[in-house]
Structures are given as structure tokens and as C-alpha cells.
Amino acid sequence: MERTRTLLYACLAGAGLWGFDARADDTITCESRNDRYQSCAIATAGYVTLDRQLSGTACTQGRTWDYDRREIWVDDGCRATFRVHTDSSGHHGSDHDAKVAAGVLIGAAILGALAHNADKKDDKYDDDRYQGPRHTSYVPSWMIGTFEGYNPVYDRDVTLTIGADGRASARTRDQTVEGWINEGRLNVGSTSFDIDRSREGLVTTQLGDRHNEVRYRRVH
């Protein structure tokens, strides 16, 4: 049983997703007074949605409100209640499990060479969903879809799905962990990953541990 548990954590690490605590959702009211910018601190990082608009002025994500791992901001008269989704179905293990999970990724990193293209135009400039530089929750079209990754050490397939709303999930066999996209990064609990575009799909790299890098191929 212990070996099975360790293998699962390792597979989720191969997806660039592992180990975080489950917490209940938080609700925050944030108000732009006199049409001025206002920020409201978030106690625990999570995926944020507008729960209830309280102002006559429209609250438009990316234009009059948005968020990052630290705060929610509002502007131009937006006043609303926001929900910070911090509850998760993810699993967390011991420090030993985490070390094993990070260690098995070295082989995957070698296989996952990123195809850089310095002249590639950023897709967000051609996307009507993009609201401007303050739109930190924006998800570019190349991130949206379903991608498959492989952990060659433990011989496990992982499926990563990212939606246009920024929600993300990684599944291996019958287990799933949840995350979200913000500031161009994949966030899972307290852990964040850079996401870069590759020829076949994308590559995730853990902040603070560049060896934790895995390549994904787009399937949908």
C-alpha cells in the first residue's frame, strides 16, 4: 500500500502537480470607492470567481477586477463579493514522498526539450478575451485543451486539462489533482509552475526546482 501511494505521488509530480493542503473556500468583498483602484488581500492563494456583483457599474474580469496569488483588485466603481476556491480533491504526502516525486523527473526533463521560437508573436494580442496588461487571469489559446504527459521512470501516463476559465486538472489512473492558471503560470496549492509553449504542446517547470520539468503533447 505504501509503495502504491508513493508511485501515485511520483506520477502527479511527473505532471508537474503534487502535494498541497485542502482548505475551505473564502469569500471576500472588495469595493472601488469613487471609481478608484482598490486591492483586497487573499489569505490563501486560490482560484477566484465573482460570486455576486454589488455595484451598478459592471465588474468585468481583466478590466475592472482581477486577482493573483496575493490579492484581488477592483477599479472603475466595481464592487462585488468574490469567492476564493481553495478546497481541493488533491492529495498530499510525506517529505519523503515529495523528494521521491522531484527526483524521478530528471529523466523526463531530458526528454522534454523545449522548442523556443523568439520571433513567435504572443497569441494574446489576437484574442478578444484579452483585456490588457492587468488581465493576470488571462489564459492564452495555446494553453487551453487536453495534454498528455508520460513519466518514464514509473511508466505512468498523465492527462493535464486546462480550460479557458483558468481551471486546470491533472489525472493519472483514478486520481485527480486540481489547479489554476494565473500570471501565465500553473498554480497548485502553494506550488507554482512556469508554462512554456513547445512544438507538440507545452512544458511545465516548477519554480524553485528547474529539474521538475515535464513535456506534454496536445491531444484536444
Side-chain angles (χ1 to χ4, degrees):
M1 179 65 179
E2 180 64 26
R3 175 172 172 77
T4 300
R5 219 163 48 88
T6 301
L7 286 176
L8 172 62
Y9 296 139
C11 289
L12 296 180
L17 299 167
W18 56 270
F20 59 101
D21 297 328
R23 298 180 175 88
D25 292 353
D26 295 327
T27 301
I28 298 173
T29 298
C30 202
E31 178 180 3
S32 166
R33 297 181 179 178
N34 299 320
D35 293 339
R36 294 181 178 178
Y37 175 92
Q38 178 65 47
S39 63
C40 301
I42 294 175
T44 303
Y47 177 79
V48 176
T49 57
L50 191 154
D51 190 56
R52 182 185 177 192
Q53 181 173 309
L54 303 175
S55 60
T57 302
C59 292
T60 304
Q61 189 169 358
R63 182 174 299 173
T64 59
W65 79 271
D66 217 321
Y67 73 101
D68 57 26
R69 293 181 61 86
R70 299 166 297 279
E71 63 186 20
I72 299 168
W73 64 263
V74 291
D75 205 350
D76 296 331
C78 170
R79 180 173 182 265
T81 300
F82 301 92
R83 184 171 299 277
V84 183
H85 303 266
T86 55
D87 189 30
S88 174
S89 59
H91 298 266
H92 61 281
S94 66
D95 290 341
H96 173 71
D97 291 328
K99 291 177 182 178
V100 170
V104 302
L105 296 172
I106 296 175
I110 295 173
L111 295 175
L114 177 63
H116 290 287
N117 185 349
D119 298 325
K120 177 175 62 65
K121 186 176 181 180
D122 195 325
D123 286 353
K124 67 186 179 183
Y125 298 121
D126 296 322
D127 192 339
D128 291 338
R129 294 183 301 110
Y130 182 61
Q131 300 293 328
R134 298 195 299 178
H135 195 174
T136 52
S137 62
Y138 171 75
V139 184
S141 59
W142 60 266
M143 284 189 194
I144 300 171
T146 299
F147 306 84
E148 291 182 348
Y150 174 66
N151 186 321
V153 177
Y154 286 97
D155 189 26
R156 294 293 189 275
D157 295 318
V158 186
T159 301
L160 172 65
T161 300
I162 300 175
D165 61 358
R167 290 183 180 271
S169 66
R171 177 172 51 83
T172 177
R173 292 191 173 176
D174 297 327
Q175 301 294 334
T176 301
V177 292
E178 307 294 336
W180 73 97
I181 304 297
N182 194 270
E183 298 184 298
R185 290 172 172 165
L186 172 63
N187 301 274
V188 183
S190 60
T191 307
S192 296
F193 302 82
D194 282 331
I195 305 180
D196 293 296
R197 193 176 187 178
S198 68
R199 287 196 184 99
E200 294 186 333
L202 51 82
V203 176
T204 60
T205 309
Q206 182 180 339
L207 270 65
D209 183 1
R210 309 308 293 182
H211 289 288
N212 193 347
E213 178 181 283
V214 176
R215 181 180 182 181
Y216 291 94
R217 177 178 60 87
R218 175 183 292 277
V219 292
H220 294 296

